[in-house]
Amino acid sequence: MSNTSQRLIHLSAQPEGSPTIDHPRPERLVQGNPMRETWNRVDDALPGGRVYCGVWRCEPGRWRIAMGETERELFTVLTGRCRVHDAQGGFAEAGPGEGIYIPPGFAGEFEVLEHLTKTYMISE
């Protein structure tokens, strides 16, 4: 995607256009095999990495996640409900109007409890 730093980007629970569709990698699956739809609206260079921003939708399921040492994500739930589980057995849960920040180096699991739509911003 071209540099978007000079224009405003509107994100909606009903994004226009066709999403990229995928599923968690088989070796990461814990429960189910949820279809994930991604409308990535920003893919820009940063002085030391990249930033991605868009809308993500997913069916219920659970899989392992691992953030890189410089990768972090902030997301806000628009519809549905999810949990992010940490390696120590704790979790954070979010529903409509709530968000979760996932720090660099985080390892755990992402669980979609109810069909989920969220906006996200990932930087690395």
Side-chain angles (χ1 to χ4, degrees), residues 97-118:
E98 299 175 319
I100 296 176
Y101 171 75
I102 305 174
F106 178 88
E109 296 178 356
F110 196 94
E111 180 180 17
V112 176
L113 302 167
E114 300 169 4
H115 199 272
L116 186 74
T117 302
K118 69 178 186 173

Side-chain angles (χ1 to χ4, degrees), residues 16-29:
E16 295 180 9
S18 298
T20 300
I21 296 174
D22 73 347
H23 296 266
R25 294 193 311 244
E27 67 273 13
R28 291 186 176 229
L29 284 173

Side-chain angles (χ1 to χ4, degrees), residues 46 50-52 67 70-73 121-124:
L46 294 174
R50 298 202 71 75
V51 64
Y52 307 94
M67 304 300 277
T70 61
E71 180 182 21
R72 67 209 70 211
E73 178 178 358
M121 183 170 168
I122 299 169
S123 66
E124 52 183 35

